[in-house]
Amino acid sequence: MRKTQRMSLEEISKKINISRTTLYKVINNKGYVKDSTKKIVEDALKKYKYIPNLNARDLARHRRHTIGYVGMDYSASYFFTMMKWGLKRATDEFGDNGLDIVIAESSHRNPEKQVEDIDRMLKEGIRDFIISVADADVIHEKIQELREMGCNIVYLSRYADEENRVFVGVDYYQSGVLAAEMMGKMLPDGGKVQIMVSNTLEHDIYVRMRCDGFTDEIKKYKNIEVLPVKQEVNTEQEATEYTRYLLEQYKDLKGIFDITYKTDTVADTLIKSGKQDKIRLVGFDLYEKIAPYIRNSAVDVMISQDLPGQAYLAAKLLFNHICYNRAFEKNNYYSRLDVIVASNLEYFEY
């Protein structure tokens, strides 16, 4: 008689297409799980003869693995809030197995604070880090020091090393390509398009990669002319004033690709100028203030990323590495890019 093969929890998760988080909830009797889902999980655990390693779990409870998250933020705590949700999901899932995360936040305009946060964590004995880099030039020397000390580093969303890194985030160049494809298809008759960015292309490689992806892809649309990139739009007032200038200066302006995290301000200016139906507006990242403008189509498209999912994956990868000695399988763990418009917005609102 053929025996049913014993499976790991990860294998069972894939077999029944139910997340490991849900499996953990059922096994540990924590959190809410629908009765129908719980039955599927329980039947699968029985069928595949899953036996929790109680000795290992008990050991883990007495041995803690602390990760330091050194984060930065954009746009009224949106970025940091999303990351914290993902980190909390990781501690909810792996806390019983020994995972702790110490969190430090700073503004992207104060990158020196990240160096201070790392030094403080080192004094506390932390040797494993998830870092969302605010400024690669500022933190680079400290990263080299961490590597010399044998510390483990996973970069989240932004990095400081081009080589020998483990990075969880999006392909920024590809996000620009996707934005250009959306813009090009919305402008079959062509016209002038403006790219607006915060910071400068010289000092912000992530913005530059998005711009490069956009300008490379938009060349496929022969009748579209991209105006010189407008850099250093960092406040709502600057976004308002430059949008007004554009509307006055270029009567044949047809599109704006905004990477300033002031897309809501740009959209509001278009509405007040009566131009929201004549100018196609594409932005990057879904944050709370932008939702009403997507809903009323003043913002036509937002290219967005799953920030909580990225944070969860970064913590999971690093925890499995330091706790179970699981090797990182690749250097870049790219997460999905979402195209958000009015008709599918509700599926992405947290």
Side-chain angles (χ1 to χ4, degrees):
M1 186 174 178
R2 190 175 179 180
K3 292 185 177 180
T4 302
Q5 182 181 1
R6 181 174 292 174
M7 290 186 178
S8 69
L9 206 59
E10 188 166 350
E11 290 170 327
I12 294 172
S13 172
K14 291 178 180 177
K15 193 79 174 177
I16 63 177
N17 197 29
I18 293 176
S19 72
R20 286 181 61 181
T21 301
T22 301
L23 268 63
Y24 278 116
K25 286 182 179 179
V26 174
I27 292 168
N28 296 309
N29 195 27
K30 286 186 174 182
Y32 172 75
V33 179
K34 289 194 302 185
D35 289 341
S36 57
T37 303
K38 186 182 293 186
K39 186 174 189 316
I40 293 171
V41 172
E42 290 172 343
D43 289 348
L45 295 173
K46 185 176 180 180
K47 177 179 178 181
Y48 297 114
K49 303 183 185 301
Y50 172 74
I51 300 175
N53 189 338
L54 298 177
N55 289 333
R57 184 187 297 176
D58 189 59
L59 214 92
R61 282 176 176 154
H62 292 86
R63 184 181 176 189
R64 308 307 296 177
H65 301 276
T66 302
I67 292 171
Y69 171 65
V70 180
M72 56 91 189
D73 199 26
Y74 281 94
S75 183
S77 297
Y78 155 77
F79 185 91
F80 186 66
T81 299
M82 295 293 103
M83 292 303 191
K84 280 204 300 185
W85 285 355
L87 296 174
K88 183 180 184 305
R89 176 186 165 195
T91 54
D92 286 347
E93 182 168 329
F94 301 111
D96 284 348
N97 295 83
L99 173 62
D100 291 320
I101 300 178
V102 174
I103 295 176
E105 175 195 17
S106 59
S107 168
H108 72 287
R109 299 194 180 284
N110 183 21
E112 293 80 7
K113 176 74 163 45
Q114 292 197 315
V115 177
E116 296 172 10
D117 290 334
I118 291 171
D119 283 335
R120 175 175 53 78
M121 290 180 181
L122 286 172
K123 289 179 181 177
E124 294 172 359
I126 295 173
R127 295 296 182 269
D128 304 288
F129 294 88
I130 297 171
I131 303 175
S132 296
V133 173
D135 189 315
D137 292 335
V138 170
I139 205 172
H140 186 266
E141 185 176 336
K142 181 58 62 176
I143 293 294
Q144 297 309 307
E145 180 184 327
L146 293 179
R147 295 206 185 282
E148 289 170 6
M149 293 174 63
C151 297
N152 293 300
I153 300 170
V154 172
Y155 290 120
L156 179 57
S157 186
R158 298 190 168 211
Y159 52 80
D161 296 330
E162 289 293 339
E163 299 179 359
N164 303 318
R165 67 168 186 253
V166 177
F167 169 71
V168 179
V170 296
D171 183 333
Y172 285 103
Y173 179 88
Q174 189 60 37
S175 73
V177 170
L178 185 54
E181 182 180 352
M182 297 298 101
M183 183 70 78
K185 290 179 177 178
M186 289 189 293
L187 298 176
D189 298 325
K192 288 183 171 61
V193 171
Q194 176 71 71
I195 304 174
M196 296 168 56
V197 306
S198 59
N199 301 327
T200 67
L201 299 183
E202 180 183 359
H203 292 103
D204 195 325
I205 61 171
Y206 316 100
V207 167
R208 187 170 70 244
M209 284 189 286
R210 276 177 267 183
C211 284
D212 288 346
F214 186 91
T215 53
D216 288 348
E217 179 69 15
I218 207 73
K219 291 174 185 175
K220 296 178 181 178
Y221 302 89
K222 303 301 182 184
N223 295 325
I224 292 179
E225 175 190 351
V226 179
L227 298 169
V229 177
K230 173 58 180 176
Q231 305 180 57
E232 295 190 279
V233 180
N234 293 308
T235 67
E236 292 183 359
Q237 181 177 347
E238 290 169 346
T240 299
E241 289 176 355
Y242 189 72
T243 304
R244 287 173 179 166
Y245 165 81
L246 279 175
L247 297 176
E248 293 172 1
Q249 186 73 15
Y250 300 102
K251 301 303 181 183
D252 55 349
L253 181 74
K254 296 297 182 182
I256 298 173
F257 177 38
D258 181 74
I259 324 175
T260 67
Y261 287 91
K262 300 292 181 290
T263 310
D264 55 304
T265 302
V266 176
D268 190 60
T269 305
L270 292 178
I271 290 172
K272 290 176 179 176
S273 302
K275 300 288 187 179
Q276 73 269 24
D277 295 327
K278 297 178 180 179
I279 308 294
R280 303 280 71 84
L281 178 56
V282 177
F284 188 82
D285 264 351
L286 176 65
Y287 50 98
E288 187 176 358
K289 289 198 296 185
I290 203 68
Y293 297 99
I294 301 173
R295 194 170 288 112
N296 68 12
S297 295
V299 175
D300 296 278
V301 175
M302 290 297 285
I303 309 300
S304 193
Q305 55 183 323
D306 179 15
L307 292 174
Q310 292 173 27
Y312 165 78
L313 178 58
K316 176 182 176 181
L317 288 169
L318 186 51
F319 176 70
N320 283 336
H321 180 70
I322 62 179
C323 184
Y324 304 114
N325 200 31
R326 293 180 187 168
F328 299 110
E329 295 179 357
K330 49 190 175 182
N331 294 100
N332 295 312
Y333 292 82
Y334 288 135
S335 66
R336 71 174 192 259
L337 288 164
D338 295 311
V339 175
I340 302 177
V341 296
S343 60
N344 70 349
L345 172 63
E346 64 179 298
Y347 300 111
F348 296 95
E349 290 184 287
Y350 292 96

